[in-house]
């Protein structure tokens, strides 16, 4: 099954999946350092993971408030 898919396509799929996961983990760690409560980092993680580029943009806008 995978032998029919070009290598470039597989790499692009991995990149498209890896970037949102990396951003969600980064946002979680950053939110945990802010010390705004126990549930805040989890909410940030889920927001960034479910809305990959919109979520990280919103978090970056409101992270220092």
């Amino acid at each position: 099954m995978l032998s029919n898919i070009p290598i470039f396509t597989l790499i692009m799929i991995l990149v498209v999946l890896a970037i949102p996961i990396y951003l969600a983990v980064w946002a979680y760690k950053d939110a945990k350092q802010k010390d705004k409560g126990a549930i805040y980092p989890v909410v940030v993680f889920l927001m960034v993971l479910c809305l990959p580029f919109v979520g990280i943009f919103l978090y970056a806008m409101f992270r220092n408030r």
Side-chain angles (χ1 to χ4, degrees):
M1 179 172 166
L2 289 177
S3 62
N4 295 336
I5 300 174
I7 292 292
F8 179 75
T9 305
L10 288 175
I11 292 172
M12 291 307 296
I13 290 171
L14 287 174
V15 167
V16 167
L17 293 176
I19 289 174
I21 292 170
Y22 172 77
L23 290 175
V25 170
W26 173 82
Y28 174 81
K29 288 180 180 179
D30 188 59
K32 198 167 185 173
Q33 288 179 352
K34 299 290 180 197
D35 220 14
K36 293 185 178 181
I39 196 77
Y40 180 70
V42 176
V43 170
V44 167
F45 177 80
L46 292 174
M47 177 184 69
V48 173
L49 194 61
C50 292
L51 305 168
F53 298 105
V54 175
I56 197 68
F57 179 72
L58 290 174
Y59 178 67
M61 282 180 41
F62 297 109
R63 71 184 274 226
N64 292 328
R65 294 182 184 185

